[in-house]
Amino acid sequence: MKETPKILEKCCEETHQNHKSESDGKETADIKEELSKVLSIDKRYIFILDAKDTEQEAIKKIITKDELFSGNEKWYLVCGKEDSKIDILLLCDKIKDIPCNVIFNNCNICLHINKPENTEKDYKGIIKNYLYFCNCTFDKLFKKSLNLKNIIFKKTLTFNQCVFYSDLEIYQNQFLDHLVFINCYDKRNDKKITSLDLQENEFEGCLFIKNCAIEKINLWKNKFKNRCYFVDSNFGYKDKDNTTKLNFSNTHFKDNVYFNNSEFYSYADFHECEFDDIACFYGVKFHKIPNFSACYFKEQKAVNLINVDIDKLDFKSVEKYIEDNYQDETCENKQEITEEQRNNNCKLKCAKHLKDSFRVIKDVLITQNNTLEAQEWHKLELYAKEKENHINLSVKDREKNADIFKNILIWFNCVLLNVYRNTSDHHNDFLKILNFTVGMIVL
């Protein structure tokens, strides 16, 4: 496994010697010529990154100090002017032929890398150099999704201070080094990533997201062999329809994963995630109910839930979660049941999953002897159980259910849960004893 580089601590290093030989100069001229042809741009926009002027020095400091990046590489800078960005079309046949490590600064870029036509089914394009996009705008002119598919990236791919006018679709790639999104967020200019869709990728290096605003995110069947960072970022930012899903579900994190100081404005779905090592939610704020149903934490003591802000999670938010999410549940659609009954079945399933989600976090906190925090999640768990019982007592079910004693028991259970939720700590012996006694009375 790769050694994880230190974040934000690497000092600025010289990329190569100041005194170049004649052969070095010829090599530089040849590479600039080749790069000019591949990108279809004038050579006057291409520079060797040797920190000779203020702008290049500033760029150099960014890549050597702020990123997951090796500082002893030779770099070339493709740079537009402040008042006139360069338009660059990067398709698969172009980008794989880039002969050097490149920083694109102040450019309008269409990045659409897909498997070329008439190629074998298991074709993988190979990009062997570092690609670093700084202060670039994507797809403003071309109005296409940023598409990366079936590519092997041998070196780090970085997006820093970039603006995206369309969705990012990153499918079925291999990242042998890191994939980095940093500082893609600007409140004043409403900069954000509208949709980051990662599917079936394999990560040997880190996935690193820091100080970004992401409206929608989807992680589906990715293999994360190294660390993942989703830190200091906003997810579900400016959720317009109030039901945006942040899909982290069914993800297997084999190494440490960090969500430090991030905010989740919409529904964060972590159901059936597997966490093999550290799962750090330090300082996270949930504006809406998260779903941790059926999550597996291999080392429960390695889960960091310190300073998690759940002030906005109350009983009304539990009801709101069920109303907003029950239609996503898979329920039987038999002809003999009405639409209302089917909806009730889905709501019941949703309430059960929500109850399990609260239980998972409660159990982690109890394992860590954090009884005070556990109690807050336990109250939410009990309320989800109340909602489950209320759904069972729907009007249609009562009319069709001949077993009146069963309904009495469920009704009493609802009352008992309400009393218990408002008067108890995290122990449930009292509930079990009373519940058992009322079964005995009815029978």
Side-chain angles (χ1 to χ4, degrees):
M1 183 176 292
K2 290 176 177 289
E3 180 183 355
T4 306
K6 292 183 179 180
I7 314 297
L8 304 177
E9 293 181 359
K10 191 170 179 62
C11 295
C12 190
E13 297 177 359
E14 287 298 326
T15 56
H16 55 282
Q17 297 295 325
N18 290 327
H19 301 288
K20 292 183 282 291
S21 66
E22 189 174 327
S23 59
D24 290 334
K26 185 176 185 302
E27 178 189 359
T28 298
D30 291 343
I31 291 177
K32 287 180 69 172
E33 184 72 33
E34 187 176 351
L35 188 58
S36 172
K37 290 179 180 177
V38 170
L39 300 179
S40 301
I41 60 174
D42 195 294
K43 285 189 293 185
R44 64 192 173 97
Y45 294 111
I46 301 173
F47 309 91
I48 179 68
L49 197 62
D50 56 6
K52 282 186 176 180
D53 59 47
T54 305
E55 185 175 29
Q56 292 184 48
E57 186 176 359
I59 295 293
K60 185 179 174 184
K61 284 182 179 178
I62 288 175
I63 64 171
T64 54
K65 187 177 180 182
D66 292 345
E67 305 306 329
L68 299 168
F69 163 93
S70 174
N72 57 359
E73 298 270 349
K74 182 181 288 188
W75 286 80
Y76 288 78
L77 174 66
V78 176
C79 187
K81 300 299 181 184
E82 180 107 17
D83 55 347
S84 60
K85 292 188 175 182
I86 314 170
D87 296 332
I88 298 178
L89 179 63
L90 289 177
L91 302 180
C92 188
D93 59 340
K94 285 189 174 183
I95 200 166
K96 67 182 179 60
D97 293 330
I98 290 178
C100 54
N101 300 321
V102 181
I103 299 172
F104 296 91
N105 181 55
N106 202 33
C107 302
N108 289 320
I109 294 176
C110 176
L111 185 59
H112 192 81
I113 310 174
N114 208 334
K115 182 172 70 172
E117 295 182 3
N118 302 320
T119 54
E120 297 179 5
K121 185 178 179 181
D122 58 351
Y123 167 87
K124 291 276 188 183
I126 297 176
I127 297 176
K128 60 182 182 297
N129 295 302
Y130 288 97
L131 295 179
Y132 194 114
F133 299 95
C134 181
N135 192 31
C136 290
T137 300
F138 286 87
D139 300 314
K140 185 176 183 180
L141 300 176
F142 303 96
K143 303 299 182 185
K144 280 187 174 184
S145 296
L146 187 155
N147 185 294
L148 305 177
K149 188 174 182 180
N150 292 307
I151 304 296
I152 298 174
F153 292 91
K154 289 192 170 184
K155 299 287 182 69
T156 298
L157 173 63
T158 301
F159 301 92
N160 186 349
Q161 303 175 56
C162 291
V163 181
F164 301 91
Y165 283 88
S166 55
D167 298 345
L168 283 73
E169 298 174 354
I170 302 176
Y171 301 159
Q172 299 167 3
N173 303 290
Q174 284 182 268
F175 293 94
L176 304 184
D177 215 321
H178 314 299
L179 173 61
V180 177
F181 295 90
I182 188 167
N183 301 323
C184 298
Y185 177 32
D186 188 340
K187 279 187 177 179
R188 293 171 299 178
N189 300 317
D190 197 30
K191 286 184 184 178
K192 64 179 181 294
I193 298 174
T194 305
S195 176
L196 177 57
D197 195 2
L198 297 166
Q199 296 189 25
E200 298 181 288
N201 300 286
E202 185 173 327
F203 289 86
E204 299 284 345
C206 299
L207 172 61
F208 185 75
I209 298 173
K210 179 180 173 65
N211 194 31
C212 293
I214 300 176
E215 189 171 319
K216 297 179 184 178
I217 187 170
N218 179 38
L219 305 183
W220 189 73
K221 288 190 176 180
N222 296 286
K223 295 180 181 178
F224 294 110
K225 298 181 179 180
N226 211 317
R227 296 185 178 189
C228 291
Y229 298 83
F230 306 88
V231 297
D232 302 319
S233 296
N234 294 335
F235 297 93
Y237 177 69
K238 290 196 174 179
D239 176 17
K240 294 177 183 177
D241 59 9
N242 206 37
T243 56
T244 297
K245 304 297 189 302
L246 307 172
N247 186 16
F248 297 87
S249 67
N250 295 281
T251 303
H252 188 180
F253 297 102
K254 293 186 177 181
D255 206 322
N256 301 347
V257 56
Y258 300 89
F259 296 91
N260 302 38
N261 303 313
S262 287
E263 291 192 50
F264 296 87
Y265 287 87
S266 192
Y267 296 113
D269 186 359
F270 294 94
H271 85 267
E272 295 186 62
C273 280
E274 295 182 58
F275 299 90
D276 285 358
D277 214 318
I278 292 173
C280 186
F281 293 87
Y282 180 89
V284 162
K285 183 172 185 176
F286 291 108
H287 291 256
K288 292 185 179 179
I289 298 284
N291 183 3
F292 288 93
S293 176
C295 266
Y296 172 70
F297 295 98
K298 188 174 182 179
E299 299 290 341
Q300 290 201 334
K301 290 188 177 181
V303 183
N304 189 339
L305 296 167
I306 295 173
N307 288 338
V308 172
D309 187 342
I310 59 170
D311 288 348
K312 291 187 177 292
L313 307 190
D314 54 18
F315 301 140
K316 286 185 179 179
S317 65
V318 172
E319 296 176 7
K320 179 67 173 161
Y321 179 94
I322 294 172
E323 286 300 317
D324 287 344
N325 292 279
Y326 78 90
Q327 292 182 345
D328 293 339
E329 298 289 346
T330 304
C331 299
E332 294 183 8
N333 193 17
K334 296 179 180 179
Q335 292 183 351
E336 59 267 23
I337 66 172
T338 66
E339 184 66 21
E340 183 181 0
Q341 288 172 321
R342 183 184 178 280
N343 287 341
N344 280 337
N345 289 341
C346 290
K347 288 180 180 179
L348 182 61
K349 202 170 182 180
C350 190
K352 287 180 177 179
H353 288 159
L354 200 55
K355 177 186 67 177
D356 180 65
S357 173
F358 296 138
R359 180 196 59 78
V360 166
I361 302 300
K362 177 200 72 177
D363 288 351
V364 169
L365 290 166
I366 289 174
T367 301
Q368 298 174 350
N369 294 319
N370 190 342
T371 54
L372 289 176
E373 296 294 334
Q375 185 176 343
E376 296 302 313
W377 291 90
H378 186 45
K379 287 179 181 179
L380 293 170
E381 178 191 5
L382 289 173
Y383 191 73
K385 178 62 178 176
E386 284 184 51
K387 295 306 297 181
E388 180 185 334
N389 286 336
H390 279 300
I391 294 166
N392 268 328
L393 280 171
S394 65
V395 175
K396 291 293 182 183
D397 286 342
R398 276 199 304 240
E399 289 175 352
K400 292 191 174 184
N401 193 343
D403 189 356
I404 190 170
F405 293 113
K406 178 181 176 183
N407 282 330
I408 291 173
L409 181 60
I410 294 173
W411 173 83
F412 187 83
N413 210 11
C414 288
V415 175
L416 196 61
L417 276 167
N418 187 276
V419 173
Y420 175 65
R421 171 170 53 81
N422 287 286
T423 59
S424 74
D425 291 329
H426 63 280
H427 305 290
N428 59 9
D429 293 339
F430 176 67
L431 177 63
K432 289 179 180 177
I433 293 169
L434 276 182
N435 214 8
F436 176 75
T437 302
V438 178
M440 293 301 291
I441 291 173
V442 169
L443 295 175

